[in-house]
Every structure is written in C-alpha cells, then in structure tokens.
C-alpha cells in the first residue's frame, strides 16, 4: 500500500486542518489567514469553498473568527475589486463571492462575531460589492452580510456611517434587480451566460433548468435582502424620509418574494414597519394604490395577510390618517369583521370592527361626513351586523329560530332553482333576502349563501362583489378548514380583476384543501384549477415585468434605428440635390425646369416626413 507523498507547499491550509496538535493547528491557521491575501495560489478557491461549507454548517464555531478569518476575507474582496488582472487569473473570480458569503454566514445570528467582523474592516469592501463593482451575484451576498451586521445593535452604527449610500443603493437594487438579473443572465442564451455565474448557481451539478430556477431564487433573495437592509434602518426610525419615496412605495407592494422565497415578508414587511411611525403613515396614506394593495392582500390567502391587516389597523388608529384610509379601505375591511382567528392571533375580526366603528356615531348622526358614499354604506352595514342584528337575534325565541331556519332553507332552494334556470339576477336577490333573515349563529347556512351569491356575481361580471362575498364566507369557515368552493370562486374573481398573485394564492390553497380532505390514494387536481395555476404562474413569474420592459426597449431601439436610417437617407438625397444643382449648366430655361422638378420632389419628401413615425 503506497502512502501519499508529503505536501511541498508551505502553510498549506488542507495540511494544517489535519494537524493533530490543537495549539500548533491554531497557530498555522492564523498564519494561513494572514498570508492568503498576499499569495497567488490557484488553491485559494478550493480553500474558500471549504470555508464556505464550514461557515454554513457550523456558523457558531468560534475557531476561525478568532484566528482572523474576517480580516482575510475583507482583504481578498478588496484585492478582487482593485486588481483586475489578479481577479481574472485562473479561478480568482469566484473569491469575492465566497468571501462575502462567509462573512454573512458567521455574522447572521452571532453579535460577537459581527463585532469582530466590523473591527476587521469588512464594511468598506462589502459596500464596494453592494454598489455594483462586480455583478448581481456578488451584490446578493454583500447585501446579505450588510443586513446581518445592521441587524445587531452593537454593529448597526458602524453600518449607519454609510447610511445615505446604503439607503439609496438598497432602494435602487430592490427596484431594479429583477430587470438586471433577467438582462444579464436569465434573458441570455445559455452559451452567453457568464460561466462562473452558472457554476455558482448550480455548484457544478445540474443543467439549464436548475440554472434558471436558482437564478430566480437568488434574484428574489437579492430583492428581499435589500428590503431587509432598509427595514433595519426603518425599524430604528432612520431615513424614513428617504425610504418614503412615492415611486418606491408604489413599487413596494409588488415586491413579494415569489413562490421560491415565501419565508420573507419582502415589501409588505417594510410597509408594516413604515406604518409604525408617523412619517411612514402619512406617506403611505397619500398613495391610494398602496392602500388598495394592502386591502387586496388582507382579503387573500397570502402568507402575509396578517401584516396587511396590521398596516391598515395602524393607519386607522392614527387620527391624522384615519379618515383618508376609511374612504378607501372600509368596504374591504368590513368583509373581515367575522374572522375569528388568523394563525395564533385571536379575535381579529373584533379588532377590525372596533377600529372601524370607533367614532361611527359622529357619522351616523351627521356630525361627520365622509366623501365616499360607499364607505358610509359599508360602515352602516357593519353597524347593522355587529350591533342591531345581535340585539334582534338575542330577542328571538327557539321556535322563531327553527321557523327562520326552515324559511332560509326554502329560500336557498328557490335561489338554486332560479340559478339553474338561468335567472341569475333573481337568484342573487333571493340569496340576499335569505342572508338578511339568517341569524348570525347559523354560520354554515351563511357560508353557503355567501358563496352561492358570489357565484352569481361572477356570472354577472361583478368580481368586486364576488371577492367580498367569498371573503365573508371564508371568514365564517375559518382559516383551519376554509370553504373550498369559496376559495375557488375568489380565485376566479381576482383573475377577473387582473390580480394574478391573489388569484394564484387562493387557487393553491384551494388545491391544498382538497388534498387535505381527500383520503383516496390518488389525489387529482381538477383540470380547471391546474389551468388557472398555469395561467397565474406565468403572470406572476418573477421576471414577467422585466421581460416585457426589455421587449419594449428593444422595439423602441428598433424604431429609433429605423427613424435614424430614414433621416440619413433624406440627408443623402439633399446632398445629392445640392451637388446636381451646383454642376447644372448655366441655361436659364433648363434651370427653371430643374427647379420645378425639384420642387415637386421636395413637396413629396415633406409629406413622407410628416406622415412617418413620431
């Protein structure tokens, strides 16, 4: 059996890791970290790959942080940025990515490691990467590391030294990173994609499908970590005036992380933080689009439904923003007042009802007027539901309750008959009549009536009313066992409204509900639901907007190129005419004939120019 030949390299990292003497091993590792940024060694990438794996699997191990790994990583990043020749030599282009990732992994949950990293000077090189000195791949790990450093109280101020630049860059990256990733990677043909990006995305294993899936996941993480970094400042009431840019806030609602990154609250998380402060509430309230987006999320199966409700409640509780928000959100929030629980939160509907009816008496008796008649009607309906109807139900005897139940059953049958005979409007009125008579404690009957009426609204092309009724049915059924037909109908309603994300989340929840209660071995997804998912997945694809914008830019460039060609042709014609005019013989009659001819041509050219592209 042959033994391996001894390593000839001085201070070899891998040999040092195998050193049996702990004290000697530590001394050699410290020396390795000192010398690594100064040496040109093609094994650097292998070493960093190993360190990356250790930092991911053992982020709490204090050995490497205590031996100078942060200073080593900072110097390697700085060298990659300042020395292009070194960066492009061998596999050195991978080094800044691994170095920034290692810093982020060790500082994620450990304040002591974060302090050591700051003292080792990691922030300036990370800032260089975040500013876009290399590519979006390095930006992703840089903003991740900066976010972890900013999340710890003791290291936040060190990051905040660069506050204005960080806020500006984070807002820009969050807004534009999807377009950048699509333009620089996803939208390119496979052979044109940077090789080292492909290798980092797949770790050398997997084909084109894995590349695209990982690129989508990383782009989403880049956006979400940029928002997280902004949130680190916002939750400390810092730079709110900069963050509350109107264009950015309007775009914030569409930053949801995608299906590959559902663990991040993304845009809705930052909005919740902003609504915790006066400056944030004032700026959010001014933007109707933002408030309406919060209303849509609050009435959906989105994982962050509770955050959207919190945002709206914070806006309602502030006297200076209350009435502006009521004008927009009352009709949506009224649908949620019978929601018993949401996750671990109890009495969610009661909290919403109290916030809405806080000063309803002023409106009821004419001391306060709302601009929106729809909002006033919604509050009146809420008062009827939560006050007047409860009083009437308490006075109802058991005999009356039974008679009412029978009557409601008959009305439901009549409504169904009208529905199947094609008299949809009449069916809708009968369901409404049944709901008016139905006591509040008959929850099952009310769920069915609301859901049936929602189906009528869908056929009558009234998606807003369908969303309202299905939401009420789902609030009555609860989030643990949601009414599956109402989920499907709300998905259809949101599809009619053009709200693809909300439609998709409801459709996915509908399928999950069917799977949960289908005890057969082979669970089949209904074809109509599969078709809806396929449609909304395409619409909500993370790069859908980036792709459409790039196509528009290409069409515009082609149009400008075509216009430029026409302009150059016209200039050539004018020069040719000038040349002919100068070389024309001095014959007065011939000159007159020539000028007339040219005059006709000139008029024709003028007409072509006027009727051409704008």
């Amino acid at each position: 059996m042959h033994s391996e030949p001894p390593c000839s390299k001085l201070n070899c990292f891998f040999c040092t890791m195998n050193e049996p003497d702990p004290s000697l091993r530590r001394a050699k590792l410290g020396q390795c970290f000192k010398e690594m940024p100064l040496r040109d060694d093609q094994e650097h990438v292998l070493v960093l790959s190993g360190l990356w794996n250790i930092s991911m699997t053992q982020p709490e191990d204090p050995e490497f942080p205590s031996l100078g790994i942060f200073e080593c990583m900072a110097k390697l990043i700085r060298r990659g940025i300042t020395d292009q020749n070194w960066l492009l030599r061998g596999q050195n282009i991978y080094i800044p990515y691994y170095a920034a990732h290692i810093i982020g992994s060790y500082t994620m949950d450990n304040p002591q490691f974060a302090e050591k990293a700051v003292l080792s000077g990691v922030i300036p090189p990370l800032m260089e990467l975040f500013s876009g000195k290399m590519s979006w791949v390095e930006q992703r790990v840089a903003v991740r590391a900066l976010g972890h450093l900013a999340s710890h109280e003791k290291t936040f101020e060190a990051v905040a030294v660069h506050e204005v630049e960080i806020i500006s860059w984070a807002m820009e990256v969050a807004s534009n990173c999807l377009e950048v990733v699509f333009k620089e990677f996803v939208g390119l043909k496979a052979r044109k994609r940077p090789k080292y990006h492909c290798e980092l995305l797949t770790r050398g294993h997997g084909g084109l499908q894995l590349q695209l899936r990982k690129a989508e996941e990383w782009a989403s993480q880049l956006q979400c970590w940029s928002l997280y970094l902004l949130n680190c400042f916002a939750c400390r009431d810092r730079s709110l005036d900069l963050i509350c840019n109107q264009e950015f806030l309007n775009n914030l609602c569409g930053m949801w992380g995608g299906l590959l990154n559902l663990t991040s609250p993304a845009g809705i998380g930052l909005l919740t933080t902003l609504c915790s402060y006066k400056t944030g509430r004032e700026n959010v309230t001014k933007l109707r689009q933002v408030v309406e987006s919060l209303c849509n999320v609050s009435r959906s199966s989105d994982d962050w439904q509770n955050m959207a409700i919190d945002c709206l409640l914070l806006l309602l509780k502030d006297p200076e923003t209350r009435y502006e928000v009521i004008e927009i959100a009352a009709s949506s929030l009224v649908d949620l007042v019978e929601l018993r629980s949401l996750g671990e939160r109890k009495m969610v509907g009661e909290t919403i009802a109290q916030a809405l009816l806080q000063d309803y008496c002023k409106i009821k008796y004419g001391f306060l007027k709302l601009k929106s008649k729809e909002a006033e009607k919604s509050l009146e309906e809420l008062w009827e539901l939560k006050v007047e109807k409860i009083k009437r139900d308490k006075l109802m005897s058991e005999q009356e309750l039974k008679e009412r139940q029978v009557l409601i059953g008959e009305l439901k049958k009549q409504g169904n008959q009208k529905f199947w005979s094609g008299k949809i409007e009449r069916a809708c009125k009968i369901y409404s009549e049944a709901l008016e008579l139905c006591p509040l404690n008959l929850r099952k009957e009310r769920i069915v009536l609301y859901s049936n009426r929602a189906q009528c609204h869908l056929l009558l092309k009234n998606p807003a009313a369908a969303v309202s009724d299905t939401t009420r049915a789902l609030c009555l059924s609860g989030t643990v066992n949601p009414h599956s037909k109402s989920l499907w109908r709300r998905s259809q309603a949101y599809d009619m409204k053009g709200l693809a994300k909300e439609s998709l989340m409801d459709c996915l929840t509908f399928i999950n509900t069917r799977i949960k209660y289908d005890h057969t071995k082979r669970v089949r997804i209904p074809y109509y639901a599969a078709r809806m998912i396929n449609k909304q997945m395409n619409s909500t694809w993370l790069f859908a907007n980036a792709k459409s914008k790039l196509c528009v830019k290409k069409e515009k460039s082609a149009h400008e190129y075509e216009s430029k060609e026409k302009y150059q042709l016209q200039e050539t014609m004018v020069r040719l005419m000038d040349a002919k005019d100068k070389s024309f013989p001095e014959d007065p009659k011939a000159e007159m004939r020539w000028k007339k001819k040219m005059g006709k041509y000139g008029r024709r050219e003028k007409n072509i120019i006027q009727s051409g592209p704008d």
Side-chain angles (χ1 to χ4, degrees):
M1 189 175 186
H2 299 287
S3 60
E4 292 185 6
C7 181
S8 59
K9 290 186 178 179
L10 187 66
N11 291 328
C12 174
F13 179 81
F14 299 106
C15 296
T16 303
M17 289 293 289
N18 294 323
E19 173 61 51
D21 186 346
S23 59
L24 188 58
R25 178 176 179 271
R26 285 178 58 83
K28 286 185 176 181
L29 280 173
Q31 192 64 29
C32 279
F33 288 141
K34 284 181 182 178
E35 293 181 2
M36 195 181 295
L38 306 174
R39 293 203 318 263
D40 282 339
D41 190 338
Q42 289 306 303
E43 285 193 0
H44 279 352
V45 175
L46 290 175
V47 173
L48 285 177
S49 180
L51 290 170
W52 170 83
N53 190 50
I54 293 168
S55 68
M56 292 282 283
T57 55
Q58 304 170 41
E60 297 298 322
D61 189 339
E63 182 178 27
F64 291 159
S66 66
L67 297 175
I69 193 172
F70 293 127
E71 189 175 353
C72 175
M73 297 302 109
K75 288 179 178 179
L76 286 170
I77 294 171
R78 194 176 294 111
R79 186 172 182 184
I81 292 167
T82 56
D83 190 346
Q84 287 292 306
N85 292 328
W86 175 82
L87 184 68
L88 299 175
R89 194 180 304 142
Q91 293 187 315
N92 289 346
I93 198 161
Y94 294 87
I95 289 175
Y97 169 85
Y98 280 123
H101 203 297
I102 290 164
I103 293 169
S105 296
Y106 275 119
T107 58
M108 185 185 299
D109 299 313
N110 197 310
Q112 288 77 27
F113 291 173
E115 285 185 76
K116 284 184 180 179
V118 168
L119 292 172
S120 301
V122 300
I123 292 178
L126 288 173
M127 288 286 292
E128 293 283 336
L129 289 182
F130 186 37
S131 69
K133 284 290 177 70
M134 288 190 66
S135 75
W136 64 273
V137 169
E138 288 78 20
Q139 269 187 324
R140 168 182 166 270
V141 287
V143 70
R144 170 179 176 265
L146 287 168
H148 295 328
L149 293 172
S151 67
H152 302 299
E153 287 297 328
K154 292 184 178 180
T155 53
F156 171 76
E157 287 302 330
V159 180
V161 170
H162 310 277
E163 186 166 353
V164 175
E165 295 98 319
I166 284 178
I167 297 296
S168 175
W169 293 341
M171 288 171 66
E172 184 180 348
V173 170
S175 301
N176 302 322
C177 65
L178 301 184
E179 290 179 44
V180 171
V181 176
F182 184 81
K183 184 179 177 182
E184 295 183 3
F185 189 85
V186 175
L188 297 177
K189 292 181 179 179
R191 66 177 182 274
K192 292 185 177 180
R193 292 173 186 160
K195 184 181 177 182
Y196 89 99
H197 284 183
C198 298
E199 291 291 329
L200 287 171
L201 284 164
T202 62
R203 301 288 295 165
H205 303 286
L208 296 177
Q209 288 299 319
L210 181 60
Q211 281 181 23
L212 292 173
R213 187 174 67 80
K214 293 297 290 185
E216 185 175 351
E217 183 182 334
W218 282 20
S220 173
Q221 289 172 353
L222 174 55
Q223 186 178 65
C224 291
W225 278 327
S226 298
L227 294 173
Y228 177 74
L229 183 55
L230 289 170
N231 199 63
C232 289
F233 285 87
C235 68
R236 293 175 172 85
D237 198 7
R238 300 279 289 262
S239 295
L240 294 186
D241 289 330
L242 293 174
I243 298 171
C244 290
N245 173 279
Q246 287 196 2
E247 185 180 355
F248 179 70
L249 289 180
N250 277 325
N251 292 334
L252 203 55
C253 301
M255 300 178 194
W256 65 293
L259 290 176
L260 291 174
N261 196 20
L262 289 174
T263 56
S264 170
I268 202 82
L270 181 55
L271 278 172
T272 306
T273 302
L274 292 175
C275 288
S276 302
Y277 298 96
K278 187 178 182 62
T279 303
R281 290 193 294 271
E282 288 175 353
N283 282 280
V284 169
T285 306
K286 291 175 186 174
L287 302 172
R288 186 182 184 91
Q289 180 183 329
V290 177
V291 178
E292 287 177 347
S293 295
L294 290 171
C295 291
N296 291 331
V297 176
S298 70
R299 296 188 300 170
S300 75
S301 301
D302 195 296
D303 290 340
W304 309 110
Q305 179 189 9
N306 58 332
M307 281 193 172
I309 292 172
D310 285 341
C311 284
L312 293 168
L313 288 173
L314 287 167
L315 295 172
L316 284 173
K317 289 174 183 177
D318 186 338
E320 295 186 19
T321 59
R322 173 177 174 76
Y323 298 107
E324 287 183 66
V325 174
I326 281 181
E327 300 278 358
I328 304 168
S331 57
S332 298
L333 288 174
V334 164
D335 298 333
L336 298 166
V337 295
E338 292 190 272
L339 181 62
R340 288 184 173 180
S341 62
L342 193 58
E344 296 180 358
R345 294 175 60 180
K346 306 297 180 185
M347 307 295 287
V348 178
E350 285 299 319
T351 306
I352 295 170
Q354 288 171 15
L356 287 171
L357 294 177
Q358 182 179 315
D359 47 9
Y360 175 66
C361 290
K362 293 180 183 178
I363 298 169
K364 185 179 180 182
Y365 298 111
F367 299 112
L368 180 65
K369 287 285 183 183
L370 297 179
K371 295 176 186 176
S372 170
K373 294 296 180 185
E374 184 184 358
E376 280 193 8
K377 186 180 176 182
S378 297
L379 293 177
E380 184 182 345
E381 183 186 351
L382 176 58
W383 179 266
E384 172 67 21
L385 179 73
K386 301 299 285 186
V387 179
E388 301 297 339
K389 199 161 188 176
I390 289 175
K391 288 180 182 177
R392 290 197 298 270
D393 286 356
K394 283 181 179 178
L395 297 173
M396 195 179 295
S397 65
E398 286 188 19
Q399 182 62 31
E400 284 179 298
L401 183 63
K402 288 180 181 177
E403 290 174 359
R404 189 70 64 88
Q405 199 167 358
V406 172
L407 177 59
I408 289 161
E410 288 298 319
L411 286 172
K412 191 184 83 168
K413 286 180 183 177
Q414 289 178 29
N416 291 349
Q417 288 171 357
K418 295 295 181 185
F419 179 88
W420 290 115
S421 62
K423 297 175 182 177
I424 308 301
E425 289 185 9
R426 181 63 189 143
C428 189
K429 287 179 181 177
I430 292 172
Y431 292 138
S432 298
E433 185 182 342
L435 280 165
E436 285 291 325
L437 294 170
C438 192
L440 296 179
N441 62 345
L442 299 180
R443 297 177 74 87
K444 289 183 179 179
E445 288 82 352
R446 291 174 68 212
I447 289 169
V448 173
L449 289 169
Y450 274 127
S451 191
N452 287 357
R453 191 170 71 173
Q455 183 62 44
C456 294
H457 289 314
L458 285 173
L459 293 172
L460 295 170
K461 306 297 181 187
N462 187 356
V467 169
S468 176
D469 278 349
T470 48
T471 301
R472 293 180 185 209
L474 289 164
C475 286
L476 287 167
S477 65
T479 54
V480 178
N481 301 310
H483 188 241
S484 61
K485 282 187 178 180
S486 295
L487 280 168
W488 170 243
R489 287 165 182 168
R490 191 168 69 178
S491 177
Q492 289 176 291
Y494 274 131
D495 178 48
M496 289 173 69
K497 293 185 76 175
L499 297 170
K501 185 191 79 171
E502 286 76 11
S503 175
L504 175 63
M505 301 309 288
D506 276 340
C507 194
L508 290 172
T509 309
F510 163 68
I511 289 171
N512 287 336
T513 303
R514 283 181 65 99
I515 292 170
K516 184 179 177 182
Y517 294 105
D518 193 335
H519 300 293
T520 59
K521 289 183 179 179
R522 293 182 66 186
V523 179
R524 292 185 178 180
I525 297 173
Y527 78 93
Y528 52 85
R531 192 167 61 181
M532 178 70 84
I533 285 177
N534 185 54
K535 176 184 177 181
Q536 307 304 7
M537 286 284 281
N538 288 331
S539 298
T540 59
W541 183 46
L542 199 66
F543 300 111
N545 288 335
K547 184 179 180 181
S548 63
K549 284 181 182 179
L550 192 64
C551 289
V552 168
K553 285 179 182 178
K554 284 182 177 178
E555 287 176 9
K556 188 177 178 182
S557 298
H559 179 72
E560 287 174 354
Y561 179 74
E562 186 180 349
S563 300
K564 187 178 179 182
E565 276 194 326
K566 287 183 179 180
Y567 177 75
Q568 288 174 344
L569 178 62
Q570 291 156 11
E571 286 289 307
T572 305
M573 295 292 286
V574 170
R575 285 198 296 272
L576 285 171
M577 285 190 288
D578 288 344
K580 285 184 179 180
D581 193 38
K582 287 176 184 177
S583 62
F584 201 83
E586 293 183 3
D587 179 38
K589 291 183 180 180
E591 189 175 352
M592 286 296 291
R593 288 195 300 272
W594 175 257
K595 283 183 178 179
K596 283 181 181 179
K597 190 176 180 181
M598 285 296 100
K600 288 179 182 178
Y601 181 82
R603 286 194 296 275
R604 189 163 64 250
E605 276 297 301
K606 187 177 180 182
N607 290 335
I608 290 170
I609 294 168
Q610 287 175 346
S611 63
D614 294 332

